[in-house]
Amino acid sequence: MSTSATAQVDATDPPPAPKNGLDRYFKISERGSTLPREVRGGFATFFAMAYIIVLNPIILGSAKDMYGHQLDNGQLVTATALTAAFTTLLMGVIGNVPIALAAGLGVNTVVALQLAPRMSWPDAMGMVVLAGFVVMLLVATGLRERVMNAVPLSLRKGIAIGIGLFIMLIGLVDSGFVSRIPDAAHTTVPLQLGADGHLNGWPVLVFVLGVLLTLALLVRKVPGAILISIVVMTVAAVIVDAVAEVPSWGLTTPEWPGNPVATPDFGLVGQVSLFGGFHKVGILTGVLFVFTVLLSCFFDAMGTIMGISDEAHLTDARGQMPGMNKVLFIDGIAVAAGGASSSSATTCFVESTAGVGEGARTGFANVVTGGLFAVALFLTPIATMVPSQAATPALLAVGFLILSGGIRAIDWDDWTVAIPAFVTMLMMPFTYSITNGIGMGFISFTVLRVVAGRAKEVPVAMYAVSAVFAFYYLMPALGLT
């Protein structure tokens, strides 16, 4: 359900007594949730991000290392599902937050296109593991939490809203409702309606009907609105595919698999060389490669955690979430685990908002999502039969919920923070990157506070992070990429 329809516990009232040990451990009643909501939320998150089981192997499997070797697709499917299951369960049981994890989009592209061509696959994955170790070190020293706590509340809201806009654009693109105009068109307009400027084809119709169904169920306050919509539209897509001529559904074709059971192949797990890449590219380039992976993992996860924790009402009056350090450390473990399994860096998934929109407030939703990823190790054909046109309507609905709940909380009278918040929320969808949105927002906040004569109001951590981002953006000009 939407956050407005989810029962909230008044801060002045004592928390309700837990109903059982499970309730007590995950604080389900204390956070104003129920077990059915958590289960629905876990299913909704899984279906919203199950595409990664197919997409990550496509991205990594299509690239070659410096020796011309390619990773096996079947082994990549197993590694992707295994790591998502392990890290999502870890975040749920230890971190107790409804934030699922899987191989990070963007980071896997860096690994496939920047690292692998200049070294072997084990070398490239070793650098991902090293980036994870650095993340854990930053958490252990308190630096990562200090950076997050230094972000002003209005800028945090801007990050959350930017994520809302970003996931809405992801939904529109993945469904085929909008598409990139090819460079051959020689136009400065990057996107168009549908595949050719018009809405046509059965897949787009399934998406449109899914959006209408999701919103109608939310307006009617139907429990399980998002999950119901995903299931109904998946069934509709299977029927359409069976009776109509559909040229392409994109990544996933909604048809019942001939053999729903697949045997997992763990051949890539542990195929890692921690320092071999430095011998191939040199110390400086190797450090810069690790830094690039680190920066993307660090701030993508930071923005996602901020946005989801705020939407799930897990933050206090200052916008900070209790137990944040534990969540951040698990995220560092996830980065290293992704490298160790050869599935690329694993990170927090913004699609977790689908589960939060369904009412998830605790780590038990992650237990459900992680369990489904574990099942997907053996039932990958079934797990990947949900087309994006059936799952992405949830992203549009949740994006709206995030915007409606956060935009009023920004201090629009203080331009030194309102403008950076505005920059952040626009740059995330326009550059298709959470990291870029955060970086440009941080830099503009620091600069505007300084020129306004309010330099002392900028936390030291914000100066440091802004300098790191400035260096990152200048790297190409300095010949360091």
Side-chain angles (χ1 to χ4, degrees):
M1 260 326 290
S2 68
T3 51
S4 61
T6 302
Q8 300 296 322
V9 180
D10 193 319
T12 60
D13 295 334
K19 299 175 181 177
N20 48 51
L22 189 70
D23 190 349
R24 182 180 302 106
Y25 181 85
F26 287 103
K27 302 179 181 178
I28 296 175
S29 296
E30 181 179 328
R31 293 184 182 177
S33 186
T34 64
L35 191 60
R37 281 180 188 157
E38 297 298 313
V39 173
R40 293 198 304 265
F43 270 88
T45 294
F46 173 77
F47 285 124
M49 61 187 287
Y51 68 86
I52 195 63
I53 301 175
V54 176
L55 184 57
N56 192 50
I58 289 176
I59 293 174
L60 293 178
S62 62
K64 297 180 180 180
D65 66 9
M66 67 180 298
Y67 301 109
H69 298 153
Q70 289 181 282
L71 298 178
D72 179 78
N73 187 75
Q75 293 177 339
L76 281 171
V77 169
T78 296
T80 301
L82 174 67
T83 311
F86 168 70
T87 55
T88 298
L89 286 168
L90 191 66
M91 184 67 82
V93 175
I94 306 300
N96 196 22
V97 290
I99 302 175
L101 302 94
L105 294 176
V107 182
N108 54 10
T109 304
V110 170
V111 173
L113 300 183
Q114 290 184 237
L115 273 63
R118 302 184 64 177
M119 59 190 72
S120 70
W121 280 112
D123 295 336
M125 294 304 171
M127 291 196 164
V128 174
V129 174
L130 290 176
F133 287 161
V134 175
V135 171
M136 286 185 272
L137 178 63
L138 293 174
V139 175
T141 58
L143 290 176
R144 192 175 186 187
E145 188 171 17
R146 197 173 305 165
V147 169
M148 295 186 71
N149 291 339
V151 182
L153 182 60
S154 289
L155 193 50
R156 285 171 175 264
K157 295 296 183 181
I159 291 172
I161 294 169
I163 289 174
L165 293 170
F166 183 41
I167 66 173
M168 291 175 76
L169 181 57
I170 290 174
L172 292 172
V173 171
D174 288 355
S175 67
F177 191 84
V178 299
S179 64
R180 186 179 77 88
I181 297 177
D183 297 334
H186 301 296
T187 175
T188 57
V189 180
L191 297 175
Q192 63 185 355
L193 189 66
D196 57 1
H198 303 88
L199 293 179
N200 49 54
W202 287 105
V204 174
L205 178 61
V206 168
F207 169 74
V208 172
L209 293 177
V211 171
L212 294 175
L213 175 60
T214 303
L215 296 179
L217 293 174
L218 286 174
V219 169
R220 296 289 300 177
K221 296 181 171 55
V222 176
I226 290 175
L227 183 57
I228 290 173
S229 174
I230 293 174
V231 173
V232 170
M233 297 318 300
T234 298
V235 173
V238 170
I239 295 173
V240 167
D241 187 69
V243 301
E245 184 175 342
V246 182
S248 173
W249 288 88
L251 186 63
T252 303
T253 300
E255 58 184 13
W256 186 258
N259 183 9
V261 179
T263 303
D265 186 342
F266 301 98
L268 287 177
V269 178
Q271 300 298 312
V272 175
S273 172
L274 282 181
F275 301 103
F278 291 94
H279 295 294
K280 304 289 195 313
V281 299
I283 299 297
L284 177 59
T285 301
V287 170
L288 290 176
F289 277 161
V290 173
F291 175 74
T292 301
V293 174
L294 170 68
L295 199 66
S296 181
C297 294
F298 188 106
F299 289 102
D300 262 27
M302 189 183 97
T304 301
I305 292 169
M306 281 184 174
I308 294 175
S309 61
D310 184 70
E311 178 66 10
H313 301 290
L314 301 179
T315 54
D316 56 24
R318 296 178 299 167
Q320 298 176 9
M321 184 175 70
M324 176 66 79
N325 217 43
K326 190 160 48 177
V327 171
L328 296 176
F329 194 82
I330 294 171
D331 177 66
I333 293 175
V335 175
S341 69
S342 297
S343 63
S344 180
T346 298
T347 188
C348 301
F349 253 56
V350 71
E351 282 85 352
S352 301
T353 51
V356 172
E358 197 56 74
R361 296 293 179 268
T362 77
F364 189 77
N366 261 34
V367 173
V368 175
T369 303
L372 290 171
F373 271 115
V375 171
L377 281 168
F378 304 92
L379 301 175
T380 300
I382 294 179
T384 56
M385 68 175 288
V386 179
S388 58
Q389 291 83 1
T392 49
L395 301 184
L396 267 70
V398 173
F400 164 75
L401 296 175
I402 293 176
L403 264 67
S404 63
I407 200 163
R408 291 186 295 271
I410 296 176
D411 184 2
W412 295 105
D413 294 327
D414 183 354
W415 284 15
T416 65
V417 74
I419 292 176
F422 178 71
V423 169
T424 298
M425 65 179 74
L426 288 187
M427 288 301 104
M428 284 188 189
F430 288 165
T431 66
Y432 224 68
S433 167
I434 294 175
T435 297
N436 282 337
I438 292 175
M440 295 176 189
F442 280 16
I443 292 173
S444 59
F445 170 76
T446 302
V447 170
L448 291 178
R449 279 284 165 98
V450 170
V451 299
R454 300 166 62 182
K456 293 182 178 179
E457 297 179 21
V458 181
V460 174
M462 289 293 286
Y463 280 116
V465 174
S466 297
V468 169
F469 270 114
F471 173 73
Y472 176 72
Y473 290 131
L474 287 173
M475 281 171 57
L478 298 173
L480 298 176
T481 57

